[in-house]
Amino acid sequence: MKNAWNVAVAACVSGAVGYFVGVQMHSGGSVGTPLRAEARAAQQQPLPPGSEIVYKVPVGPAPVKGDPEAKVTIVEFSDFECPFCGRAIEVVKQVEARYGKDLRLSFKHNPLPMHPDAPYAARAAIAAGKQGKFWQMHDKLFEANVARTPNGLKPDRIDQMARDLGLDLDRFHRDAESQETKDQVEADQAQARALGASGTPYFYVNGQRIAGAQPFEQFKLVVDSALKRADAVLARGVPRKDLYETLVKDGQAGPPAPPPQAPPAAQARNVDLGTDSPWTGANNAKVTIVEFSDFQCPFCQRAEPTVQKILETYKGEVKLVWRNQPLSFHPNALPAAKAAMAAHKQGKFWQMHALLFQNQQELSEAKYEEWAKQIGLDLSRWRKDKQSQEIASAIDAESRYANQVGADGTPAFFINGRLISGAMPFDTFKPVIDEQIEKANAALKKGVKPEKLYEVLVAQNVQSTGQAEQQVAAKVEVGNAPVLGPKNAPVTIVEWSDFQCPFCGRVEPTLQQLRDQYPGKIRIAWKNQPLSFHANAMPAAEAAMAAHEQGKFWEFHDALFKKQGELGPALYDEVAKRLGLNMDRFHAAIQARKHAAHIQDDMAAGNAVGAQGTPTFFVNGKKLVGAQPIEAFKQLVDAELAAAVAKK
């Protein structure tokens, strides 16, 4: 999956850059203004990465509990359906108990697009707040989250919570559906986006950021640092009532845009244009951009203005080719792709494409029909094409092909084969496009025919970056990971993976093929990378590590991937019994979350070496992202075996 996520302009991925220690989130980043010298001097221990920065985070009208003049204010951006937010609740309670009157808490809403019940839950909490019961509703919503109660956040269950709290239900419903309440949620989300807090949970401790469901010890480091900063400011005579505003007034308003840069040299692929892909722009263009995208992905929508600017700026020189990559956790992505490709059959793809992105929050079968009529399609023919096996198979093939070429997140752009991943700004695309135009002009002078430019330039880019790709190696430790294969194997493949990720499941047979074709020469080490939008991924990882404790990791691993669509406690017990595990010991390990710290360490290590999406592999330290075909692995394995022979 994912490439994830590219910091604040991340791709919507099987993962995203900005994942932090102990948790996966959709995006993040750790950029901003340094602390003042007095704060640095006050620190006794190194702070967690990213929390050394101060951000300007106004509390505004958000719900607050605690002393209004507390020394430390924590502003939380959260999502009631996010499993990591649910896990963070116990830590927040520990922090409250430890710091008492020195602490106040403020809550802001950031319901994520892959959590269908989160928006209503956010509005319900606000509606309860209008009757003085925000924190009581907050607790009930998270109790349902933590308990993983079936349908626990559906409107009827939330209505029962409102009854239990003694709320006026008519008023509650009016407030939950009011435009004012919706605007409040959107305002919180806009603030989160501006801060670069596009995942959940995010905490700002007197402006210092903590990303993710971190353990109490990490919070303690940041809160203690914040207390010392507060004491230093109070010692200068600042009134308690002005303390928080004073502490954050000079903070960073949000992460700055990344500096313009070309993608790494190793990111170039021979990407074909498909047999009937929608395209726009120049016919025999000097630069062809192949975009793999998803109509429900918010980052794909965010990239649209940049794409339009490229087409306008380089009119006559750039061609844009669309290829579908509907992600599995976006339920409306595949139906929307079918609707667009059915419109393509009648020459109206780009008109439908525009409507889908302009109305991304309204994607539905009824809307597709409305828009098809609006753009003048033959509705009978469009309906038939939309439901056809031809279009379904074509989209599935494109999705698989995207993963093969490394477009394992959306949006992904290949500029004459060179990859830019995520909703990057125009200034990131410009130097790459300009470079490719220069190459095209040189090729045309040498007599290359315009219709052959793409083929020639892609080949040049792949050839020129191939050597660089082979030379880049990261220091990746196996540590105490489950390992399959001989310890002295000349090739070690370290895999960061997620039991619920469909791409991770898809690559498993390829890994077995490799072991069969290179007997005794490959060992595979497993690292956990459960992604936040896969609700069953973390529990599955904990169950697998509980099996590892009894020497049955790989058997358990194989069983989970064989029944990936059935992940849950019933399957874990079924597999554990079949493998002859000590069930009391197995259950005790899971209930005590004995292996959670190990999994968090895996995730932190993955983040450190750039394995933010799943699956990500390091073949003797050389990175390979996504469910690649066996040929991609063999190329690296053969090179490593040859290097081993040469050393001897």
Side-chain angles (χ1 to χ4, degrees):
M1 166 280 21
K2 25 268 153 127
N3 190 339
W5 268 37
N6 285 301
V7 195
V9 287
C12 191
V13 292
S14 314
V17 176
Y19 293 102
F20 196 71
V21 177
V23 65
Q24 291 284 3
M25 298 184 306
H26 287 285
S27 72
S30 55
V31 290
T33 54
L35 288 174
R36 295 190 175 105
E38 66 192 26
R40 290 197 299 270
Q43 295 171 9
Q44 300 301 312
Q45 300 182 53
L47 291 171
S51 62
E52 71 278 8
I53 311 304
V54 174
Y55 290 85
K56 186 175 183 178
V57 186
V59 174
V64 174
K65 67 173 175 177
D67 186 341
E69 296 187 354
K71 293 181 181 179
V72 176
T73 296
I74 298 179
V75 180
E76 175 185 2
F77 288 86
S78 193
D79 170 321
F80 289 112
E81 195 175 352
C82 164
F84 297 102
C85 300
R87 288 176 194 157
I89 289 299
E90 288 305 313
V91 176
V92 172
K93 289 179 180 177
Q94 283 182 271
V95 174
E96 286 185 88
R98 170 66 177 79
Y99 293 97
K101 290 185 178 180
D102 282 335
L103 188 76
R104 69 167 176 164
L105 299 176
S106 176
F107 189 95
K108 301 207 175 194
H109 303 276
N110 192 14
L112 301 180
M114 75 286 296
H115 294 151
D117 297 327
Y120 182 76
R123 299 199 306 271
I126 293 170
K130 289 181 181 295
Q131 298 186 47
K133 296 290 182 72
F134 173 84
W135 292 103
Q136 294 89 329
M137 179 61 81
H138 163 284
D139 292 348
K140 284 185 173 292
L141 292 169
F142 273 125
E143 284 169 10
N145 173 320
V146 172
R148 297 188 184 128
T149 307
N151 300 318
L153 295 180
K154 296 296 183 187
D156 59 336
R157 301 297 293 271
I158 293 177
D159 283 356
Q160 184 57 52
M161 297 176 192
R163 293 188 191 94
D164 293 343
L165 292 174
L167 300 183
D168 178 329
L169 279 184
D170 288 339
R171 180 184 172 191
F172 172 77
H173 289 145
R174 285 196 307 273
D175 288 336
E177 298 301 334
S178 72
Q179 190 59 48
E180 178 186 357
T181 297
K182 293 175 183 178
D183 289 345
Q184 183 175 336
V185 174
E186 174 54 34
D188 285 355
Q189 291 182 297
Q191 187 181 17
R193 289 192 296 270
L195 290 165
S198 48
T200 54
Y202 265 86
F203 302 88
Y204 291 86
V205 183
N206 282 359
Q208 292 175 254
R209 184 162 74 184
I210 297 178
Q214 293 196 52
F216 172 77
E217 292 73 19
Q218 300 290 329
F219 273 85
K220 185 175 186 301
L221 286 173
V222 182
V223 175
D224 287 347
S225 169
L227 278 171
K228 289 174 181 177
R229 290 175 56 222
D231 286 338
V233 170
L234 290 171
R236 297 203 305 262
V238 172
R240 287 286 289 261
K241 65 182 180 62
D242 299 327
L243 176 61
Y244 180 70
E245 286 70 19
T246 301
L247 287 167
V248 301
K249 70 176 181 178
D250 296 324
Q252 178 71 38
Q261 58 182 359
Q267 295 297 305
R269 297 289 186 272
N270 188 356
V271 180
D272 70 51
L273 306 181
T275 55
D276 186 32
S277 301
W279 65 273
T280 187
N283 187 7
N284 292 322
K286 295 176 181 178
V287 177
T288 298
I289 302 175
V290 181
E291 175 185 3
F292 289 89
S293 194
D294 167 320
F295 286 110
Q296 195 177 354
C297 164
F299 302 104
C300 298
Q301 181 192 49
R302 192 176 299 172
E304 280 301 296
T306 299
V307 171
Q308 292 306 311
K309 185 174 181 180
I310 290 170
L311 290 171
E312 292 166 7
T313 303
Y314 295 96
K315 189 174 183 180
E317 294 184 303
V318 167
K319 176 181 184 177
L320 176 71
V321 178
W322 171 278
R323 304 204 65 175
N324 293 288
Q325 173 69 317
L327 302 180
S328 60
F329 49 85
H330 289 154
N332 295 317
L334 179 57
K338 290 180 177 179
M341 294 309 291
H344 179 50
K345 290 281 187 183
Q346 298 183 47
K348 296 287 183 75
F349 172 84
W350 294 104
Q351 293 90 324
M352 180 63 81
H353 163 282
L355 287 167
L356 291 169
F357 274 130
Q358 288 167 12
N359 303 280
Q360 193 179 57
Q361 301 305 314
E362 301 178 46
L363 299 180
S364 68
E365 292 297 336
K367 285 295 184 180
Y368 307 149
E369 182 113 358
E370 176 185 322
W371 299 330
K373 185 176 181 181
Q374 180 180 329
I375 63 178
L377 296 181
D378 178 331
L379 290 182
S380 177
R381 178 184 168 192
W382 175 79
R383 293 187 194 110
K384 182 178 179 181
D385 287 336
K386 183 164 66 73
Q387 298 302 325
S388 70
Q389 187 58 45
E390 176 191 355
I391 283 181
S393 298
I395 293 172
D396 180 64
E398 286 205 320
S399 185
R400 285 185 281 109
Y401 180 68
N403 199 59
Q404 290 175 16
V405 297
D408 41 8
T410 57
F413 302 89
F414 290 90
I415 303 174
N416 285 353
R418 293 191 61 180
L419 174 63
I420 290 181
S421 182
M424 302 298 283
F426 175 78
D427 287 343
T428 299
F429 286 85
K430 188 177 187 302
V432 183
I433 295 172
D434 289 343
E435 175 198 48
Q436 294 304 307
I437 289 175
E438 288 183 12
K439 286 188 174 184
N441 289 335
L444 290 169
K445 285 182 181 179
K446 291 179 180 179
V448 174
K449 294 180 179 179
E451 63 270 20
K452 291 289 186 180
L453 263 181
Y454 179 70
E455 178 183 337
V456 169
L457 294 175
V458 168
Q460 286 181 4
N461 289 329
V462 171
Q463 183 178 12
S464 65
T465 61
Q467 291 300 317
E469 184 170 3
Q470 292 302 313
Q471 292 167 0
V472 175
K475 186 177 180 181
V476 179
E477 302 290 344
V478 172
N480 58 351
V483 174
L484 190 63
K487 186 176 182 179
N488 61 349
V491 176
T492 294
I493 300 176
V494 182
E495 171 188 9
W496 268 270
S497 193
D498 168 319
F499 285 109
Q500 196 175 354
C501 164
F503 302 105
C504 300
R506 192 176 297 168
V507 80
E508 285 301 314
T510 302
L511 297 177
Q512 183 57 52
Q513 282 181 276
L514 281 174
R515 295 183 65 245
D516 292 342
Q517 292 184 24
Y518 297 90
K521 296 181 179 180
I522 290 177
R523 68 170 178 162
I524 297 174
W526 171 277
K527 299 275 189 177
N528 295 284
Q529 189 74 306
L531 302 179
S532 64
F533 43 80
H534 290 155
N536 294 316
M538 186 68 171
E542 293 189 36
M545 296 308 294
H548 178 50
E549 181 183 322
Q550 298 187 46
K552 295 287 186 178
F553 174 83
W554 292 103
E555 295 89 340
F556 202 91
H557 159 283
D558 292 347
L560 294 189
F561 275 124
K562 284 178 182 176
K563 293 190 174 182
Q564 196 176 41
E566 303 175 30
L567 296 180
L571 176 62
Y572 310 148
D573 278 2
E574 173 194 322
V575 174
K577 289 174 183 175
R578 175 156 40 89
L579 295 177
L581 300 186
N582 179 315
M583 295 305 292
D584 289 340
R585 184 180 172 190
F586 177 74
H587 288 147
I590 291 174
Q591 290 166 7
R593 304 203 65 207
K594 182 176 179 181
H595 301 285
H598 175 110
I599 294 167
Q600 291 172 352
D601 287 344
D602 281 357
M603 296 162 77
N607 189 64
V609 296
Q612 293 97 355
T614 57
T616 296
F617 304 90
F618 289 87
V619 182
N620 281 2
K622 293 173 184 176
K623 186 176 178 181
L624 191 65
V625 177
Q628 300 280 354
I630 193 169
E631 290 75 19
F633 285 94
K634 289 180 68 175
Q635 183 179 1
L636 287 175
V637 171
D638 288 342
E640 290 303 305
L641 292 175
V645 171
K647 286 180 182 178
K648 290 182 180 179

